[in-house]
Amino acid sequence: HDATITIAGQSGNFELNVMMPLIAHNLLESISLLANVSTVFKTHCIDGLVADRATCKETVEKSLMLGTALVPYIGYDAAAALAKEAYADGKTIRELATEKKLLSPQDLNKALDVRNLI
């Protein structure tokens, strides 16, 4: 439909495009197809979709972006170094910060609480 509309639009002369019915037909057909595929996508892919909370929590915990949450507490350079080290060692930011005792456990939990970050 896109190619047909493009070629038909190029075929007009002097602002009198005899291809206008073809353009309109293909444009309306494309809109109809997009509307139908949206409904089918919702029905077959989105309905019943449930997030696996445990996997989501694990993925967030492994994310190096948590290092930015420590910037107000330990500074940018130290947080960046911590993130690099966590990446190199295959550890989480929380594990490494706990090992290095950068913050008290309460402050670390408060700083790395994802709900407060969003």
Side-chain angles (χ1 to χ4, degrees):
H1 288 120
D2 179 58
T4 302
I5 291 170
T6 301
I7 293 170
Q10 294 172 350
S11 299
N13 295 321
F14 308 114
E15 296 182 16
L16 176 65
N17 193 342
V18 295
M19 298 291 182
M20 194 61 71
L22 179 66
I23 293 171
H25 176 269
N26 281 300
L27 180 63
L28 293 173
E29 185 73 19
S30 292
I31 292 170
S32 176
L33 287 171
L34 285 172
N36 288 338
V37 80
S38 297
T39 304
V40 170
F41 180 74
K42 176 194 163 293
T43 303
H44 294 286
C45 294
I46 296 176
D47 287 348
L49 190 64
V50 179
D52 182 355
R53 291 185 181 272
T55 302
C56 291
K57 185 176 181 180
E58 181 183 338
T59 302
V60 169
E61 193 66 30
K62 288 180 179 179
S63 175
L64 295 176
M65 68 87 191
L66 287 178
T68 59
L70 296 177
V71 170
Y73 298 93
I74 63 173
Y76 179 81
D77 292 333
L82 187 71
K84 287 178 184 177
E85 188 177 341
Y87 177 72
D89 295 346
K91 296 181 179 179
T92 67
I93 296 288
R94 186 181 304 273
E95 290 171 346
L96 202 55
T98 302
E99 285 176 12
K100 292 182 176 250
K101 297 182 182 179
L102 297 174
L103 296 170
S104 68
Q106 295 82 13
D107 287 341
L108 187 61
N109 287 335
K110 180 182 173 189
L112 298 181
D113 184 10
V114 179
R115 292 178 193 262
N116 290 335
L117 296 176
I118 56 174

